Amino acid sequence: MNKPIRKAAVIGSGIMGSGIAAHLANVGIPCLLLDVVPKEPSAEESAKGLTLEHPAVRNRLAAAAIAKLKKTNPAPLYDEAFADRITPGNLEDHLPQIAEVDWIIEVVVENLQVKKELLAKIESFWKPGTVVTSNTSGISINEMSADRGEAFRKSFMGTHFFNPPRYMKLLEIIPGRDTDPTLVNRMKAFCENVLGKGVVIAKDTPNFIANRIGTYGLLVTLQEMVEKGYSVEEVDAVTGPAMGRPKSATFRTLDLVGLDTFVHVADNVYGSVADGAEKAAFDTPAVLKDMVARGWLGEKSGQGFYRKVKGEGGKSEILSLDLASMEYRPQKKPSSGSLEAAKLAKGAREKTKALLTGGDRFSDLTWDILKKVLLYSAGKVGEIADSIEEIDNAMKWGFNWELGPFETWDAIGLVRSVERMEKEGETVPLWVKDWITQGNTSFYRVDNGIRFYVDEGKYKQVDQRPEVISLRSLKEQNRVVKGNGGASLIDLGDGVACLEFHSPNNAIGADILTMISQSVEEVRNNFEGMVVANQGRNFCVGANIMLLLMEAQDEEWDEVDGIIRLFQNTMYKLKRLEKPVVAAPHRMTLGGGVEACMPADQVIASAETYYGLVEVGVGLIPAGGGCKEFALRVSQNVSHPEADLQPFINQVFETIGMAKVSTSGHDAKRLGYLKPTDRVLANQDHLIYEAKQAVLRMAKAGYEPIREEKIRVVGSEGKAVMQLGAIGMRESGYISDHDLKIAKKLAHVLAGGDVPAGTLVTEQYMLDLEREAFLSLCGEPKTQQRMQHMLTKGKALRN
């Protein structure tokens, strides 16, 4: 039972099976992907003279699934090359090979009999010590393994990945009654630490945790809509971001999932529960049955609750379904006081409270949905999961809710809401009433930064794993060394400080730059080193371009020059700190965010890091040291004085000039944004801990500050090569005249200006070139148009 997992087999190469195999490959685990043998060769295979005996035919399903991984968007793989870690095969020829793996995952059709038959075949080749799991979304683990031997059952459990496996954080582990508890704990740790998942332990009940609560919530919402006459748009206006939920809200989510799939999930509970009221709640509404019968299944059939059509001038328009007439019509944007108040409120807690207190029909809808979901969730504690924390985490990680049901209940006021529920004739679970009777006013509480939740009538401390560091908790413990409106320096303990950005969108402005400078001095005098990290939605979306645009439009060029000098000088100061610095970016890390990481001794990035110098998109070039750092890396990596730098600087020119953004942390390495010594972690929750450990290792080893080096540049000859390439793109119609102007400025900077090829220049010289080019571009009307467009539309303008 203690065998490490180094190799896996996935049986079933459909969307989920291939996606799971891809994620195993992402984290470095070679995987065997098996599926059935096709009944006959395809027309293409027959044309090649291949028969059913040929391996290419027999392995076709798995091989095609692997090939599709490279084309799927969003990408299931961190890097296309990782597909080579997956070996295709088939169940007739290759099933014996499962004896050589450490983890077997069954991902075949959701049919109990099919799964039982497959497990019987697996057991015939299974070796003790090998973990076997099912990716079922709702079939009983105990029923599935009932006919297997005792040793096999001890090694068997459910591992329910959410789709898509790479991106969805939730993984439900469902032990059977005979599963070895030690193995459950080991798999939980493995899935968290290696796969980067948020794991909850679910009980073997219909649809487990997230789908049980989520399906109930969707059905309740649909019932309220039909009974009270709300439109599709009105419901989605309430149940999306206004409540701290995803933009897909209710009906866009149903369209994405597929109405037939949703009905299957609801029917699974309906057919499995005995309680009459619960059975009625999961009875598929007539409107859903009607839509499925019509083939209106959502996105996969082209229409569901929404339908995209071509409008006037060929422009796409999304229509919504009118349930009264069952016809599609143009959408009507809902408006009300409560919706506007929720839009202005910050955070899910305040948004939900704003919705509920608006006193209009949208407030009524919010309450009618919410109270039923909260009561249902409370009634399932102990049945579907042991704790409220497991339920809350399942909904946050599986359905992307900002707050779980019990966190939501605390936000709206536990005591007050229960009083209202009882006045309206609702039955509140006895344990909730007992908890309030004891004088408690919330399910969670925080004492000195430590979080507790109610468990069996008393507060229990939330498990604090050392590798999960919460900056919020540290701030609640008064561990802030210094701070301002844009950033804070937080004491992580053990002599390491963390510089946290917390401006809107973590955009870099004067406040963050000031705090970086102050933090450098503080760490120099009082700490062993520093981590640059935060736990916002995105690490940093770049510099504050609104400030730059305002100054440029007012032609305050000295001010613009001062802003860029401050940025450059601050990054230079950070790089020259005599203590180790580790940056830990995650998700969107763009423009100035990348330049804030470049001075670090090491970058430890989340696998989900979308990293890029994107200044060209707003008509500028990187001027916070991004160009200089890239040129320095090329000079260092091609260290022989006679070696040709041109091919390498051309790649940099293309990367920056095309504003390339990585699709993962691994892709950032491929693009050259990250160095070979930088690391990528699957579990974003571990970033700050790992960055802190890296700082301590460097400090213990006797840290030597980064010394300034001269940069060998390609000079005027190399500039001409890059500019010639850009001119060719303009002549071919790939870029505009303004793009060409930006490209020529970028080439001038990366080449080191008009010096002879091979000249050694200083870092400051390169920074001066960056700043001069940046300033000149700020004065261009078309650059100002691009900046304005990005601020108002949120996307790049190609003018």
Side-chain angles (χ1 to χ4, degrees):
M1 290 298 177
N2 293 318
K3 189 167 68 166
I5 293 174
R6 296 196 178 97
K7 188 175 181 182
V10 175
I11 302 176
S13 67
I15 291 173
M16 280 305 296
S18 61
I20 292 168
H23 195 57
L24 291 169
N26 282 337
V27 299
I29 297 174
C31 186
L32 181 65
L33 182 62
L34 305 181
D35 212 316
V36 296
V37 174
K39 293 180 179 178
E40 59 185 19
S42 67
E44 186 179 349
E45 289 164 342
S46 296
K48 293 178 181 178
L50 303 181
T51 69
L52 198 55
E53 301 308 309
H54 195 282
V57 179
R58 299 178 73 75
N59 300 339
R60 183 211 307 153
L61 295 180
I66 296 168
K68 190 176 179 181
L69 292 174
K70 299 178 183 180
K71 302 172 185 175
T72 302
N73 188 29
L77 294 161
Y78 291 154
D79 188 312
E80 277 188 20
F82 293 173
D84 293 342
R85 297 171 179 171
I86 309 172
T87 303
N90 67 76
L91 286 169
E92 293 180 18
D93 303 327
H94 303 111
L95 193 60
Q97 292 182 21
I98 65 173
E100 302 165 13
V101 307
D102 310 304
W103 183 12
I104 303 164
I105 312 172
E106 170 274 306
V107 201
V108 298
V109 64
E110 285 287 88
N111 179 290
L112 176 60
Q113 191 55 38
V114 171
K115 288 179 182 291
K116 290 182 75 165
E117 290 172 3
L118 177 59
L119 289 183
K121 292 177 182 177
I122 289 173
E123 187 176 23
S124 65
F125 298 105
W126 172 78
K127 284 187 177 178
T130 301
V131 184
V132 184
T133 70
S134 170
N135 183 61
T136 178
S137 59
I139 295 177
S140 169
I141 299 302
N142 288 312
E143 287 184 36
M144 212 184 297
S145 60
D147 299 330
R148 307 280 57 81
E150 182 182 357
F152 186 93
R153 294 198 308 274
K154 284 184 177 180
S155 296
F156 181 69
M157 67 187 84
T159 47
H160 180 211
F161 289 79
F162 273 60
N163 191 34
R166 167 184 164 180
Y167 298 96
M168 293 301 293
K169 184 173 180 177
L170 180 62
L171 174 64
E172 293 175 323
I173 288 183
I174 311 99
R177 65 175 66 94
D178 297 319
T179 311
D180 183 348
T182 304
L183 183 61
V184 173
N185 292 334
R186 187 165 71 85
M187 286 301 293
K188 182 176 187 290
F190 173 83
C191 293
E192 289 171 341
N193 298 332
V194 180
L195 300 186
K197 294 299 174 188
V199 177
V200 298
I201 305 299
K203 293 182 179 289
D204 189 17
T205 55
N207 291 7
F208 312 129
I209 303 175
N211 279 344
R212 183 76 168 266
I213 302 292
T215 303
Y216 178 85
L218 286 165
L219 288 168
V220 162
T221 303
L222 188 55
Q223 288 159 3
E224 287 295 323
M225 172 192 181
V226 172
E227 287 177 17
K228 309 283 176 59
Y230 291 95
S231 71
V232 167
E233 305 97 301
E234 287 175 332
V235 171
D236 276 356
V238 165
T239 58
M243 285 178 69
R245 308 262 176 95
K247 288 182 180 179
S248 56
T250 297
F251 296 112
R252 176 71 180 132
T253 297
L254 279 171
D255 279 355
L256 288 168
V257 168
L259 272 61
D260 54 339
T261 301
F262 178 78
V263 167
H264 171 77
V265 172
D267 286 348
N268 189 48
V269 181
Y270 179 83
S272 304
V273 297
D275 180 77
E278 186 171 17
K279 206 173 187 69
F282 282 90
D283 189 8
T284 304
V287 65
L288 271 185
K289 291 177 181 175
D290 183 19
M291 291 175 71
V292 171
R294 293 174 186 237
W296 298 358
L297 307 180
E299 191 167 271
K300 61 187 173 185
S301 69
Q303 64 188 95
F305 286 97
Y306 293 100
R307 187 175 81 183
K308 184 185 284 189
V309 297
K310 290 286 185 183
E312 292 183 13
K315 190 176 181 181
S316 291
E317 181 184 6
I318 298 177
L319 307 178
S320 61
L321 182 65
D322 183 332
L323 295 191
S325 65
M326 292 303 283
E327 293 180 355
Y328 291 92
R329 55 164 177 74
Q331 292 187 62
K332 300 173 186 175
K333 188 176 181 181
S335 178
S336 80
S338 63
L339 289 174
E340 289 305 311
K343 194 180 293 183
L344 294 172
K346 290 188 176 181
R349 301 174 71 87
E350 297 306 316
K351 285 179 179 294
T352 305
K353 284 195 283 187
L355 269 179
L356 285 171
T357 55
D360 56 31
R361 62 195 297 268
F362 294 98
S363 300
D364 294 340
L365 176 62
T366 304
W367 171 251
D368 290 338
I369 294 170
L370 208 51
K371 72 174 178 181
K372 291 184 178 179
V373 172
L374 300 184
L375 289 169
Y376 185 76
S377 300
K380 293 301 154 190
V381 175
E383 179 184 335
I384 64 174
D386 282 331
S387 71
I388 67 167
E389 188 194 21
E390 301 273 28
I391 293 174
D392 277 350
N393 284 339
M395 298 316 297
K396 289 188 291 185
W397 297 339
F399 278 74
N400 292 321
W401 293 5
E402 284 186 40
L403 299 174
F406 298 94
E407 292 170 325
T408 301
W409 214 333
D410 281 354
I412 67 173
L414 173 61
V415 176
R416 186 171 60 251
S417 61
V418 165
E419 288 173 353
R420 181 177 174 183
M421 289 171 184
E422 292 194 308
K423 280 182 182 177
E424 294 175 0
E426 302 291 348
T427 302
V428 178
L430 185 59
W431 75 266
V432 175
K433 294 168 69 173
D434 288 346
W435 181 243
I436 293 172
T437 301
Q438 293 175 35
N440 299 295
T441 58
S442 64
F443 293 114
Y444 291 91
R445 78 171 192 212
V446 177
D447 288 341
N448 194 32
I450 299 173
R451 200 168 186 231
F452 297 83
Y453 65 92
V454 58
D455 183 59
E456 296 183 348
K458 58 187 177 183
Y459 276 118
K460 178 180 179 181
Q461 184 176 328
V462 171
D463 183 28
Q464 289 186 298
R465 295 165 52 213
E467 60 269 30
V468 179
I469 294 175
S470 166
L471 295 181
R472 178 180 174 182
S473 293
L474 291 175
K475 287 191 280 190
E476 288 170 347
Q477 296 171 45
N478 299 314
R479 300 276 284 275
V480 176
V481 180
K482 55 179 57 195
N484 61 25
S488 297
L489 188 70
I490 302 166
D491 185 355
L492 296 180
D494 301 316
V496 181
C498 178
L499 176 65
E500 176 203 31
F501 301 165
H502 47 66
S503 66
N505 292 318
N506 288 339
I508 297 176
D511 46 5
I512 287 181
L513 295 174
T514 298
M515 187 50 53
I516 292 174
S517 290
Q518 292 179 3
S519 297
V520 166
E521 294 303 321
E522 183 70 30
V523 171
R524 176 179 287 127
N525 296 323
N526 299 309
F527 288 89
E528 294 292 322
M530 180 164 67
V531 170
V532 180
N534 64 69
Q535 291 172 326
R537 177 171 175 77
N538 297 301
F539 177 79
C540 178
V541 298
N544 186 339
I545 61 172
M546 180 178 285
L547 176 62
L548 281 168
L549 178 61
M550 290 169 59
E551 300 292 3
Q553 288 176 333
D554 292 341
E555 298 187 358
E556 296 286 353
W557 303 120
D558 287 344
E559 291 294 328
V560 177
D561 182 71
I563 291 168
I564 302 310
R565 284 181 187 273
L566 176 61
F567 200 133
Q568 291 181 341
N569 292 341
T570 304
M571 295 304 111
Y572 187 82
K573 194 174 184 180
L574 181 62
K575 185 174 181 179
R576 297 289 169 243
L577 176 60
E578 300 87 349
K579 303 287 179 72
V581 176
V582 177
H586 65 278
R587 294 187 63 83
M588 285 175 61
T589 304
L590 305 174
V594 173
E595 291 174 310
C597 295
M598 281 181 149
D601 297 279
Q602 186 179 23
V603 174
I604 298 179
S606 165
E608 299 303 338
T609 301
Y610 318 123
Y611 206 77
L613 293 170
V614 295
E615 286 83 352
V616 167
V618 289
L620 298 167
I621 68 160
C627 294
K628 179 262 294 184
E629 285 295 321
F630 253 132
L632 176 59
R633 289 181 189 181
V634 169
S635 178
Q636 289 171 331
N637 294 338
V638 190
S639 55
H640 193 281
E642 300 300 320
D644 186 9
L645 298 173
Q646 193 69 52
F648 303 96
I649 208 69
N650 287 348
Q651 286 182 343
V652 172
F653 178 63
E654 182 180 311
T655 297
I656 298 176
M658 296 182 71
K660 291 184 178 179
V661 177
S662 73
T663 56
S664 68
H666 294 277
D667 193 45
K669 276 196 171 186
R670 183 187 65 81
L671 291 170
Y673 285 122
L674 297 183
K675 302 187 293 288
T677 52
D678 293 333
R679 292 175 55 203
V680 178
L681 291 185
N683 195 324
Q684 186 174 305
D685 294 340
H686 296 180
L687 279 181
I688 296 176
Y689 172 82
E690 291 294 339
K692 175 184 173 182
Q693 299 309 308
V695 166
L696 291 172
R697 282 193 296 271
M698 282 188 260
K700 187 177 180 180
Y703 177 74
E704 291 188 12
I706 300 172
R707 302 179 187 277
E708 181 159 356
E709 290 184 45
K710 291 286 184 73
I711 302 170
R712 185 162 68 96
V713 296
V714 296
S716 56
E717 294 177 17
K719 178 174 81 171
V721 171
M722 287 184 274
Q723 290 186 345
L724 188 62
I727 291 168
M729 291 187 72
R730 176 67 194 101
E731 290 176 349
S732 300
Y734 289 113
I735 61 175
S736 68
D737 287 337
H738 193 53
D739 289 326
L740 179 58
K741 182 175 285 189
I742 299 164
K744 286 182 174 180
K745 297 277 187 185
L746 177 62
H748 180 75
V749 174
L750 291 174
D754 291 317
V755 299
T759 299
L760 295 175
V761 300
T762 65
E763 290 189 38
Q764 187 57 55
Y765 169 83
M766 293 294 287
L767 290 173
D768 290 342
L769 290 180
E770 281 187 0
R771 193 175 64 259
E772 290 164 7
F774 190 95
L775 274 167
S776 67
L777 287 168
C778 276
E780 294 284 343
K782 288 192 175 181
T783 284
Q784 293 179 18
Q785 289 170 14
R786 289 190 179 194
M787 295 167 78
Q788 185 71 53
H789 193 269
M790 180 61 72
L791 288 168
T792 56
K793 303 292 185 181
K795 56 185 178 182
L797 171 68
R798 285 295 178 196
N799 55 354

